Amino acid sequence: MESTVKKDIRSLSKEDLRTFFEDQGDKAFRGDQVYTWLWQKSVYDFAEMTNLSKATRALLETHFIINNIAVETMQRSQDGTIKNAVRLHDGLVVESVLIPTSKRSTACVSSQVGCSLDCTFCATAKLKRMRNLNPDEIFDQVVTIDRQSKLYFNRPLSNIVFMGMGEPLMNYNAVVKAIDKITSPEALGMSPKRITISTSGVPKMIKKMADDGLKCQLAVSLHSAIEEIRNRIMPFSKSFPLEELKDSLAYWYEKTKSRITYEYVVWKGINDDTASIDALIRFCKHVPCKVNLIEYNPIGDGMFSQAPAAVTDAYIQALEKERIVVKVRRSRGKDIDAACGQLANKS
Ligand code: SAH
């Protein structure tokens, strides 16, 4: 028998599916039915599309595959956090995390296998980038975590953060397509306001997000507002000077009127001095923002360590004095290596 390469059915738009059925001499609305199974019900097997005839299901089977993800291992932290090691259709693995609080269930999803960037304090950066995720692979992580949230916490997912593995703005098109599906009433129907894209800071792409009218929240991993220090701990940023980053953030705010979150870790001997605090304050005055001080999660190389609480307090006091909103974000899921910067496929 002639072998044909089957196409991933989820790379087809709704219109493509309608056309497919018309070309087969069937009704176009069959495409709508399949679309609902794929994107609203997240079915990974044609056999489960029970409102289609056997012949139609067989037809789909001969033409298409569904490249779904599969949870390979699930770990639960003492604090309730769940980390999934997720196997992709080609055998590669990414991680995604469900972070429950008293009111919210937040999904932390990956956008790349490994990462394009080279932040020296991050475990994922050590993996290098193997490939970008497809939109459906990002979408599947969200659906998986939504189901886990319903199962373990009796409520649907409330928020999504692109803070898993990878740099979302280096896989921009797929991230946007996934968000389209996540927010579409025909699929998950979540509000884009509950989705945060976290970037290490790629100015050109931040401007593009603004131009494209993305309604998500923007977080920037700043960690230092002093060029020389930032270049040292996030070497890729040599190509993106802070001035350029500032410009792009002003552009984003101008277009979206949406306040930016800066993520910031205070490390001993790196940014624990008053010059760093002053620089951060100056940076914050540029565009409406808030600062999240995140706890450092050691990645086992002993290169960085969290500054003492007194230094964090000094940051908080100085920022609050200038009326800049600052929050301290406690780490979650540390005991299972699910916290920020710890995702690295140890499993
Ligand atoms: N590439 C994106 C998203 C992934 S990282 C970004 O950089 O924003 C999510 C957050 O974890 C970022 O703010 C990142 O700087 C931070 N992070 C990385 N390694 C960390 C570590 N070891 N401890 C604490 N935060 C870390």
Side-chain angles (χ1 to χ4, degrees), residues 121-122 162 164 166-167 198-200 221 223 263 295-297 340-341:
F121 46 82
C122 178
F162 279 86
E167 168 50 45
S198 177
T199 174
S200 303
S221 304
H223 302 307
E263 290 158 284
E295 215 182 299
Y296 177 58
N297 303 305
C340 283

Side-chain angles (χ1 to χ4, degrees), residues 108 111 115 117 119 121-124 162-168 197-201 219-223 234 263-265 267 294-299 329 331 339-342:
C108 175
S111 54
C115 189
L117 303 179
C119 303
F121 46 82
C122 178
T124 310
F162 279 86
M163 293 187 191
M165 300 168 110
E167 168 50 45
I197 295 190
S198 177
T199 174
S200 303
V220 175
S221 304
L222 189 60
H223 302 307
M234 303 165 82
E263 290 158 284
Y264 201 101
V265 177
W267 288 285
I294 45 186
E295 215 182 299
Y296 177 58
N297 303 305
I299 58 167
R329 257 190 22 205
S331 274
C340 283
Q342 293 189 309

Side-chain angles (χ1 to χ4, degrees), residues 80-152:
T81 301
I82 292 176
K83 180 170 85 169
N84 298 305
V86 159
R87 189 164 289 278
L88 310 172
H89 68 91
D90 57 0
L92 291 171
V93 174
V94 292
E95 293 175 331
S96 41
V97 182
L98 163 57
I99 307 153
T101 60
S102 56
K103 294 199 191 76
R104 293 177 173 185
S105 282
T106 300
C108 175
V109 297
S110 295
S111 54
Q112 298 181 312
V113 187
C115 189
S116 307
L117 303 179
D118 52 8
C119 303
T120 49
F121 46 82
C122 178
T124 310
K126 313 256 181 256
L127 300 173
K128 303 296 169 214
R129 189 197 73 102
M130 313 274 287
R131 74 167 168 87
N132 285 338
L133 293 189
N134 300 325
D136 48 274
E137 292 170 328
I138 297 170
F139 182 82
D140 283 354
Q141 293 175 67
V142 173
V143 170
T144 299
I145 292 178
D146 182 44
R147 286 176 178 165
Q148 289 176 333
S149 179
K150 287 169 181 154
L151 182 64
Y152 297 107

Side-chain angles (χ1 to χ4, degrees), residues 62-91:
T62 52
H63 283 84
F64 302 109
I65 44 162
I66 302 176
N67 280 336
N68 58 288
I69 65 166
V71 175
E72 188 163 80
T73 54
M74 188 190 108
Q75 287 170 276
R76 289 193 80 174
S77 158
Q78 286 179 346
D79 66 22
T81 301
I82 292 176
K83 180 170 85 169
N84 298 305
V86 159
R87 189 164 289 278
L88 310 172
H89 68 91
D90 57 0

